[in-house]
Amino acid sequence: GIQEQCVQALFNKGATLGALGESEAAIKVYNTLVEKYQNSSHEGIQEQCNNAEANLSELYMVKGENKKAINCAKSVFARVDLRDEESAIMPFLLWLLDDEDTTLESVYAAVKALDKDVVFSWGFREIEPMLDSYDEQKQKIARCFIEYFENHHDKEILKDVLWKSYEGSWL
């Protein structure tokens, strides 16, 4: 019980530091959490370690440390299942990072495979400014996925919007 409270406190500290724009401090806290508790057999602690590593992926992405971001996203993706929003968000981040193993089709397939009872809580405020560095089509598609994850959660709407954004050439 005490370990679970410590993990929650570390996670909250990392999230708060990240929200305050203190990315270096947030990275340190999340790395401490993952290093100390990743081998725990407690399900709640494992979930917080996954969440911390998923946040690390996004923080590294914003800092331009793409290799670290890719490694974190792949690590999280390997441990989650279809009830976790990260089973679709990690492939999305990998696609944004131009990971050679991730295609737009695999991101969409991951979204389609999500359990119908997935609870969404992920926000993309930190990476939104970096979308401007992508070409116009990738920006449009990325924003379609972000709108899905943050707001409507409707796979049919996503499919229709992507079809229009991608000029109907891939679904």
Side-chain angles (χ1 to χ4, degrees), residues 49-115:
C49 286
N50 283 345
N51 293 339
E53 196 164 16
N55 286 355
L56 276 168
S57 180
E58 192 173 38
L59 287 167
Y60 285 135
M61 182 179 180
V62 170
K63 288 183 61 174
E65 296 183 39
N66 291 0
K67 187 172 182 171
K68 287 181 179 180
I70 288 169
N71 289 339
C72 287
K74 285 184 174 186
S75 178
V76 172
F77 184 68
R79 293 189 307 268
V80 295
D81 63 34
L82 300 176
R83 294 172 303 205
D84 299 309
E85 65 182 327
E86 291 86 2
S87 70
I89 291 173
M90 293 303 105
F92 172 65
L93 293 181
L94 289 166
W95 174 73
L96 285 176
L97 290 161
D98 295 322
D99 175 55
E100 62 188 36
D101 299 326
T102 308
T103 63
L104 182 58
E105 291 82 0
S106 66
V107 177
Y108 182 71
V111 169
K112 272 183 65 173
L114 283 169
D115 188 275

Side-chain angles (χ1 to χ4, degrees), residues 15 48 86 140:
Q48 286 296 59
E86 291 86 2
K140 277 173 63 174

Side-chain angles (χ1 to χ4, degrees), residues 88-89 91-93 95-96 103-112 114 120 122 124 127-128 131 137-155 157-159 161-163 165-166 170-171:
I89 291 173
F92 172 65
L93 293 181
W95 174 73
L96 285 176
T103 63
L104 182 58
E105 291 82 0
S106 66
V107 177
Y108 182 71
V111 169
K112 272 183 65 173
L114 283 169
F120 292 94
W122 197 278
F124 294 87
I127 67 168
E128 181 69 34
L131 295 180
Q137 186 175 38
K138 190 163 185 168
Q139 285 181 41
K140 277 173 63 174
I141 293 167
R143 288 189 170 93
C144 291
F145 278 105
I146 289 171
E147 179 68 21
Y148 168 80
F149 289 127
E150 289 186 336
N151 297 314
H152 63 72
H153 313 137
D154 186 310
K155 295 174 187 176
I157 291 173
L158 176 64
K159 180 180 177 181
V161 174
L162 286 173
W163 184 263
S165 296
Y166 210 58
W170 69 281
L171 294 175

Side-chain angles (χ1 to χ4, degrees), residues 1-12 33 37 40 42-48:
I2 291 173
Q3 277 189 341
E4 198 170 5
Q5 289 177 5
C6 290
V7 167
Q8 186 64 52
L10 282 171
F11 182 83
N12 290 343
L33 189 160
Y37 297 103
S40 172
H42 188 278
E43 188 176 321
I45 292 174
Q46 288 176 352
E47 184 177 332
Q48 286 296 59

Side-chain angles (χ1 to χ4, degrees), residues 122-134:
W122 197 278
F124 294 87
R125 189 187 85 231
E126 291 84 4
I127 67 168
E128 181 69 34
M130 66 183 295
L131 295 180
D132 293 336
S133 68
Y134 296 117

